[in-house]
PDB file of all heavy atoms in Angstrom:
ATOM      1  N   LEU A 702      51.743  69.003  77.144  1.00  0.00           N
ATOM      2  CA  LEU A 702      53.070  69.608  77.265  1.00  0.00           C
ATOM      3  C   LEU A 702      53.690  69.762  75.891  1.00  0.00           C
ATOM      4  O   LEU A 702      53.700  68.827  75.067  1.00  0.00           O
ATOM      5  CB  LEU A 702      54.015  68.743  78.116  1.00  0.00           C
ATOM      6  CG  LEU A 702      55.334  69.307  78.512  1.00  0.00           C
ATOM      7  CD1 LEU A 702      55.140  70.512  79.459  1.00  0.00           C
ATOM      8  CD2 LEU A 702      56.262  68.274  79.140  1.00  0.00           C
ATOM      9  N   LYS A 703      54.163  70.982  75.594  1.00  0.00           N
ATOM     10  CA  LYS A 703      54.752  71.262  74.309  1.00  0.00           C
ATOM     11  C   LYS A 703      56.062  70.485  74.234  1.00  0.00           C
ATOM     12  O   LYS A 703      56.880  70.482  75.156  1.00  0.00           O
ATOM     13  CB  LYS A 703      55.001  72.743  74.117  1.00  0.00           C
ATOM     14  CG  LYS A 703      55.195  73.126  72.650  1.00  0.00           C
ATOM     15  CD  LYS A 703      55.057  74.597  72.424  1.00  0.00           C
ATOM     16  CE  LYS A 703      55.103  74.949  70.950  1.00  0.00           C
ATOM     17  NZ  LYS A 703      54.977  76.367  70.679  1.00  0.00           N
ATOM     18  N   ARG A 704      56.321  69.852  73.098  1.00  0.00           N
ATOM     19  CA  ARG A 704      57.501  68.935  72.985  1.00  0.00           C
ATOM     20  C   ARG A 704      58.827  69.709  73.022  1.00  0.00           C
ATOM     21  O   ARG A 704      59.818  69.165  73.435  1.00  0.00           O
ATOM     22  CB  ARG A 704      57.409  68.092  71.718  1.00  0.00           C
ATOM     23  CG  ARG A 704      56.282  67.049  71.860  1.00  0.00           C
ATOM     24  CD  ARG A 704      56.229  66.074  70.714  1.00  0.00           C
ATOM     25  NE  ARG A 704      55.731  66.696  69.500  1.00  0.00           N
ATOM     26  CZ  ARG A 704      56.492  66.949  68.433  1.00  0.00           C
ATOM     27  NH1 ARG A 704      57.800  66.669  68.474  1.00  0.00           N
ATOM     28  NH2 ARG A 704      55.955  67.528  67.377  1.00  0.00           N
ATOM     29  N   ASP A 705      58.810  70.968  72.657  1.00  0.00           N
ATOM     30  CA  ASP A 705      60.054  71.826  72.734  1.00  0.00           C
ATOM     31  C   ASP A 705      60.029  72.757  73.931  1.00  0.00           C
ATOM     32  O   ASP A 705      60.522  73.849  73.926  1.00  0.00           O
ATOM     33  CB  ASP A 705      60.312  72.593  71.493  1.00  0.00           C
ATOM     34  CG  ASP A 705      59.166  73.551  71.147  1.00  0.00           C
ATOM     35  OD1 ASP A 705      58.147  73.492  71.845  1.00  0.00           O
ATOM     36  OD2 ASP A 705      59.353  74.353  70.182  1.00  0.00           O
ATOM     37  N   HIS A 706      59.364  72.278  75.021  1.00  0.00           N
ATOM     38  CA  HIS A 706      59.271  73.070  76.269  1.00  0.00           C
ATOM     39  C   HIS A 706      60.703  73.488  76.684  1.00  0.00           C
ATOM     40  O   HIS A 706      61.635  72.669  76.769  1.00  0.00           O
ATOM     41  CB  HIS A 706      58.641  72.194  77.362  1.00  0.00           C
ATOM     42  CG  HIS A 706      58.178  72.988  78.557  1.00  0.00           C
ATOM     43  ND1 HIS A 706      59.098  73.480  79.516  1.00  0.00           N
ATOM     44  CD2 HIS A 706      56.993  73.369  78.977  1.00  0.00           C
ATOM     45  CE1 HIS A 706      58.414  74.082  80.431  1.00  0.00           C
ATOM     46  NE2 HIS A 706      57.133  74.029  80.168  1.00  0.00           N
ATOM     47  N   PRO A 707      60.848  74.820  76.995  1.00  0.00           N
ATOM     48  CA  PRO A 707      62.218  75.303  77.345  1.00  0.00           C
ATOM     49  C   PRO A 707      62.875  74.662  78.538  1.00  0.00           C
ATOM     50  O   PRO A 707      64.064  74.632  78.654  1.00  0.00           O
ATOM     51  CB  PRO A 707      62.019  76.846  77.526  1.00  0.00           C
ATOM     52  CG  PRO A 707      60.547  76.946  77.814  1.00  0.00           C
ATOM     53  CD  PRO A 707      59.841  75.865  77.023  1.00  0.00           C
ATOM     54  N   GLU A 708      62.028  74.140  79.434  1.00  0.00           N
ATOM     55  CA  GLU A 708      62.611  73.562  80.639  1.00  0.00           C
ATOM     56  C   GLU A 708      62.450  71.984  80.636  1.00  0.00           C
ATOM     57  O   GLU A 708      62.433  71.375  81.663  1.00  0.00           O
ATOM     58  CB  GLU A 708      61.925  74.098  81.834  1.00  0.00           C
ATOM     59  CG  GLU A 708      62.171  75.610  82.045  1.00  0.00           C
ATOM     60  CD  GLU A 708      61.580  76.158  83.282  1.00  0.00           C
ATOM     61  OE1 GLU A 708      60.938  75.380  84.049  1.00  0.00           O
ATOM     62  OE2 GLU A 708      61.708  77.392  83.536  1.00  0.00           O
ATOM     63  N   ALA A 709      62.376  71.418  79.447  1.00  0.00           N
ATOM     64  CA  ALA A 709      62.158  69.953  79.299  1.00  0.00           C
ATOM     65  C   ALA A 709      63.264  69.196  80.004  1.00  0.00           C
ATOM     66  O   ALA A 709      63.040  68.059  80.528  1.00  0.00           O
ATOM     67  CB  ALA A 709      62.068  69.603  77.859  1.00  0.00           C
ATOM     68  N   SER A 710      64.488  69.738  80.033  1.00  0.00           N
ATOM     69  CA  SER A 710      65.580  68.960  80.638  1.00  0.00           C
ATOM     70  C   SER A 710      65.387  68.701  82.122  1.00  0.00           C
ATOM     71  O   SER A 710      65.967  67.783  82.682  1.00  0.00           O
ATOM     72  CB  SER A 710      66.878  69.781  80.420  1.00  0.00           C
ATOM     73  OG  SER A 710      66.818  71.063  81.043  1.00  0.00           O
ATOM     74  N   ARG A 711      64.517  69.518  82.766  1.00  0.00           N
ATOM     75  CA  ARG A 711      64.221  69.286  84.201  1.00  0.00           C
ATOM     76  C   ARG A 711      63.448  67.981  84.359  1.00  0.00           C
ATOM     77  O   ARG A 711      63.556  67.334  85.409  1.00  0.00           O
ATOM     78  CB  ARG A 711      63.379  70.427  84.751  1.00  0.00           C
ATOM     79  CG  ARG A 711      64.205  71.648  85.170  1.00  0.00           C
ATOM     80  CD  ARG A 711      63.321  72.804  85.524  1.00  0.00           C
ATOM     81  NE  ARG A 711      62.091  72.443  86.222  1.00  0.00           N
ATOM     82  CZ  ARG A 711      61.090  73.267  86.465  1.00  0.00           C
ATOM     83  NH1 ARG A 711      61.155  74.489  86.010  1.00  0.00           N
ATOM     84  NH2 ARG A 711      60.001  72.872  87.094  1.00  0.00           N
ATOM     85  N   TYR A 712      62.638  67.628  83.376  1.00  0.00           N
ATOM     86  CA  TYR A 712      61.787  66.518  83.515  1.00  0.00           C
ATOM     87  C   TYR A 712      62.237  65.258  82.832  1.00  0.00           C
ATOM     88  O   TYR A 712      61.689  64.161  83.024  1.00  0.00           O
ATOM     89  CB  TYR A 712      60.383  66.861  82.927  1.00  0.00           C
ATOM     90  CG  TYR A 712      59.857  68.190  83.493  1.00  0.00           C
ATOM     91  CD1 TYR A 712      59.728  69.316  82.687  1.00  0.00           C
ATOM     92  CD2 TYR A 712      59.524  68.292  84.817  1.00  0.00           C
ATOM     93  CE1 TYR A 712      59.287  70.517  83.222  1.00  0.00           C
ATOM     94  CE2 TYR A 712      59.044  69.457  85.342  1.00  0.00           C
ATOM     95  CZ  TYR A 712      58.944  70.609  84.520  1.00  0.00           C
ATOM     96  OH  TYR A 712      58.519  71.794  85.095  1.00  0.00           O
TER      97      TYR A 712
END
Side-chain angles (χ1 to χ4, degrees):
L702 189 67
K703 199 164 186 179
R704 288 186 290 109
D705 59 354
H706 193 286
E708 298 183 0
S710 59
R711 278 172 37 192
Y712 309 110

